[in-house]
């Protein structure tokens, strides 16, 4: 499942002329895991082992997928833009923002834990609102690939 969405992203982004950053080093993955006490599930790890965000910062539909060094908790990364949101989202300390749409109109965040086999649901977060989009990180990419404008909203 993980490799399918990665191969599809490679094809889509090549067709669209979108250039991903080079893959993430093992050190960068280890640093993220050590810094936050989390383990990346196989689909998340596979994504970052192939892509480290986008060079032009955004895809053709104004989605910015961040480099691994820019990932952070909702409290640290999202709260400054959407004040009060971290206190309204359960487990916000385990949600890691990894992308935004149209310069922070909304944000995508994945739940990470210290169990690499745990589910990695992805959430949509906007000013004062949030919703669970998918049960897995790979599921988020499947939605992205299937969406005509690649803007994933609940």
């Amino acid at each position: 499942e993980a490799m399918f969405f990665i191969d599809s992203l490679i094809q889509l982004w090549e067709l669209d002329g979108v250039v991903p950053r080079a893959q993430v080093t093992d050190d960068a993955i280890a640093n993220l895991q050590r810094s936050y006490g989390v383990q990346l599930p196989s689909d998340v790890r596979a994504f970052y082992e192939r892509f480290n965000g986008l060079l032009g910062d955004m895809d053709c539909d104004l989605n910015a997928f961040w480099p691994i060094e820019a990932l952070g908790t909702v409290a640290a990364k999202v709260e400054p833009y959407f004040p009060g949101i971290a206190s309204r989202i359960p487990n916000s300390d385990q949600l890691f923002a990894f992308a935004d749409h149209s310069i922070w109109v909304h944000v995508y965040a994945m739940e990470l834990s210290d169990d690499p086999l745990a589910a990695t649901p992805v959430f949509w977060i906007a000013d004062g609102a949030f919703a669970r989009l998918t049960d897995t990180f790979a599921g988020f990419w499947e939605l992205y690939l299937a969406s005509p404008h690649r803007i994933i909203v609940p």
Side-chain angles (χ1 to χ4, degrees):
E1 180 184 17
M3 293 318 292
F4 167 76
F5 82 86
I6 289 172
D7 292 343
S8 297
L9 280 173
I10 291 168
Q11 292 172 358
L12 172 72
W13 286 342
E14 279 181 1
L15 284 173
D16 286 349
V18 173
V19 182
R21 293 178 193 270
Q23 64 205 43
V24 173
T25 63
D26 288 342
D27 286 348
I29 290 173
N31 188 44
L32 176 80
Q33 292 182 145
R34 189 175 46 254
S35 296
Y36 292 102
V38 298
Q39 292 293 314
L40 297 186
S42 60
D43 55 354
V44 178
R45 178 179 279 277
F47 176 82
Y48 283 103
E49 284 175 344
R50 180 59 180 86
F51 310 113
N52 192 21
L54 300 179
L55 262 185
D57 291 333
M58 290 186 197
D59 67 8
C60 298
D61 298 294
L62 304 180
N63 294 299
F65 299 107
W66 308 346
I68 198 166
E69 300 82 10
L71 269 58
T73 63
V74 165
K77 296 296 259 189
V78 182
E79 183 72 19
Y81 293 88
F82 304 144
I85 196 70
S87 62
R88 290 198 292 280
I89 302 176
N91 299 334
S92 68
D93 58 328
Q94 294 178 292
L95 294 183
F96 288 77
F98 66 92
D100 68 274
H101 171 70
S102 194
I103 310 175
W104 288 83
V105 169
H106 59 254
V107 174
Y108 301 113
M110 61 182 149
E111 188 171 336
L112 295 176
S113 73
D114 59 1
D115 179 0
L117 300 178
T120 310
V122 173
F123 292 79
W124 167 90
I125 303 170
D127 194 8
F130 67 94
R132 186 176 174 136
L133 289 173
T134 62
D135 293 333
T136 64
F137 187 72
F140 169 82
W141 291 107
E142 289 165 15
L143 273 181
Y144 173 86
L145 289 161
S147 170
H149 296 291
R150 299 186 177 70
I151 301 165
I152 313 305
V153 294

